[in-house]
Amino acid sequence: GNALEGVPEGEDTNSSTIEDPVMTEEEKTDVEEEVGDALEENFQTLMQKEENEAIGKMESKEETSMDAEATGSKDVDMEGDDEEADGSQGEEMDTAIEGKESDEKKEGDEDEEPSNLQLAWEMLELAKVVYTKQVESGEGTKAYFEEKLCSTILSLGEVSIENENYSQAVEDIQSCIKKLESLPKDSRIIAEAKYQLGVAQGFNSQYDEAVESLTSAIEVIKLRTKNIKESVKSSKSPSLQKMEITELEALVPEIEEKIIDTKDMKKEAEAKTKQEAEGLSSTSGSKNVTSIAVKRKVEEEDGINKKTMEADKTAAAS
């Protein structure tokens, strides 16, 4: 059998009960516009998304580069600070070393440079040698050079007193006075020498000798004052002599005051020596008393021990 029997040939086999929708031109236009708008909107959205992503990537790169730069600058700043700190520390160390070297140099210069007293001593010693040779050679006026020599020795004595070398000062001035024996007894330099000797002896704890030397200086001054007063009448320049008399008379009270000071120094030294002696004796006395007390205690204990031993022997015998 033919399965297609009864089917008319030549007819459209795509027959259907549902008819295809028929669109008008206006509807087609509206649909095309809506699709176009949708495509355009979708395109703009995609473009905006890509643009945003690109901007985000650029911003991320910029932030990364900025962070890197900040980190690098920070490292550079830290290195710079370290270098500056090292540099400042180095400068401080250099300054400290230079300061120390300058201080040591100053101390070395101070040690090398002699004091004024040392310079004075050296100059006076040189003058002493020169005047001594002049006196020994006999050239010129011997009395003149002897007086110059003694003045130099007196100055050396004053330097020794300033250096607290009192024994040396006493020795120098005594040698000066011996050289002045050939001069007149009322010479002012003799009075000056004896006054300086008294001062040096007082500082050297030679109090009695100091008082004697100072008293001798007053005697020389009084003798000179007397001789000048006698010669004023026949003098051609009495005004100068009267002026010298005034100066000499003013010196006497000063030397007398020095004698009083020297005697006070002696009393203070004696009182100090007495106190020290009393302190030593009181210390030794206390030691003796203590030793006596200990001795008595030992003797008493020995007596008690002897009595105890005798009592024990008696009890044992009975």
Side-chain angles (χ1 to χ4, degrees):
N2 189 0
L4 297 177
E5 290 182 355
V7 177
E9 295 180 359
E11 291 183 359
D12 187 6
T13 59
N14 195 17
S15 61
S16 176
T17 56
I18 300 173
E19 296 179 353
D20 293 331
V22 178
M23 296 180 64
T24 63
E25 292 295 327
E26 184 177 357
E27 288 176 350
K28 290 180 179 180
T29 302
D30 293 335
V31 170
E32 289 176 357
E33 288 178 357
E34 288 176 0
V35 172
D37 293 335
L39 292 173
E40 182 70 20
E41 183 178 357
N42 190 22
F43 177 77
Q44 293 294 335
T45 302
L46 291 174
M47 291 295 293
Q48 185 68 35
K49 186 177 180 180
E50 290 178 357
E51 185 178 354
N52 291 336
E53 288 178 357
I55 293 172
K57 290 179 180 180
M58 292 177 65
E59 289 178 352
S60 178
K61 288 182 180 180
E62 289 177 357
E63 289 177 358
T64 304
S65 63
M66 289 176 66
D67 292 337
E69 290 176 0
T71 304
S73 63
K74 191 178 292 184
D75 294 337
V76 172
D77 292 337
M78 291 178 66
E79 292 176 358
D81 293 337
D82 293 338
E83 291 177 357
E84 290 178 359
D86 294 337
S88 61
Q89 290 178 357
E91 290 177 359
E92 291 176 358
M93 290 179 65
D94 293 339
T95 304
I97 292 171
E98 290 175 359
K100 186 176 181 180
E101 290 177 352
S102 62
D103 292 338
E104 291 176 354
K105 186 175 180 181
K106 288 180 180 178
E107 292 177 358
D109 294 339
E110 291 176 358
D111 294 336
E112 292 176 0
E113 291 180 0
S115 62
N116 292 332
L117 289 174
Q118 182 65 29
L119 290 173
W121 177 268
E122 293 175 358
M123 294 299 294
L124 290 170
E125 280 289 341
L126 179 60
K128 178 183 174 181
V129 172
V130 172
Y131 289 132
T132 300
K133 289 183 178 180
Q134 290 290 336
V135 172
E136 292 176 352
S137 64
E139 297 178 359
T141 306
K142 184 177 180 180
Y144 171 78
F145 287 112
E146 283 182 345
E147 186 174 350
K148 288 293 184 181
L149 176 60
C150 289
S151 297
T152 304
I153 295 173
L154 284 177
S155 298
L156 283 170
E158 292 178 3
V159 173
S160 296
I161 292 173
E162 290 294 330
N163 283 327
E164 299 181 358
N165 190 1
Y166 305 124
S167 59
Q168 183 64 44
V170 171
E171 182 180 347
D172 289 340
I173 297 171
Q174 285 176 339
S175 66
C176 171
I177 293 174
K178 289 181 181 180
K179 296 180 183 298
L180 295 174
E181 292 177 353
S182 61
L183 296 179
K185 301 297 181 181
D186 63 345
S187 297
R188 290 190 66 168
I189 190 171
I190 295 176
E192 182 182 356
K194 291 189 174 183
Y195 172 78
Q196 292 291 345
L197 178 61
V199 172
Q201 288 171 332
F203 283 120
N204 201 37
S205 301
Q206 297 174 273
Y207 303 111
D208 294 334
E209 293 86 345
V211 172
E212 183 179 351
S213 298
L214 293 171
T215 303
S216 180
I218 292 175
E219 292 174 356
V220 174
I221 290 173
K222 288 182 177 180
L223 177 60
R224 183 170 181 80
T225 302
K226 179 183 176 182
N227 292 337
I228 292 174
K229 285 181 179 180
E230 291 177 356
S231 62
V232 167
K233 299 176 183 179
S234 60
S235 176
K236 295 181 181 180
S237 57
S239 59
L240 295 176
Q241 291 179 330
K242 288 180 180 180
M243 187 181 297
E244 185 177 0
I245 291 171
T246 303
E247 292 176 356
L248 293 171
E249 290 177 346
L251 292 174
V252 173
E254 294 180 3
I255 300 175
E256 290 175 345
E257 186 176 355
K258 191 67 178 178
I259 292 173
I260 295 172
D261 293 341
T262 304
K263 291 179 179 179
D264 291 338
M265 289 169 64
K266 181 181 178 181
K267 290 179 181 179
E268 291 177 0
E270 290 176 348
K272 185 177 180 180
T273 304
K274 186 177 180 181
Q275 288 178 357
E276 291 176 353
E278 290 177 352
L280 291 173
S281 62
S282 63
T283 305
S284 60
S286 63
K287 289 181 179 178
N288 293 333
V289 171
T290 305
S291 61
I292 291 170
V294 171
K295 186 177 181 182
R296 286 180 179 176
K297 186 176 181 181
V298 171
E299 290 176 352
E300 290 176 357
E301 290 177 354
D302 290 342
I304 292 171
N305 291 333
K306 287 180 180 180
K307 289 179 181 180
T308 303
M309 289 175 67
E310 289 176 358
D312 291 341
K313 288 180 179 180
T314 303
S318 60

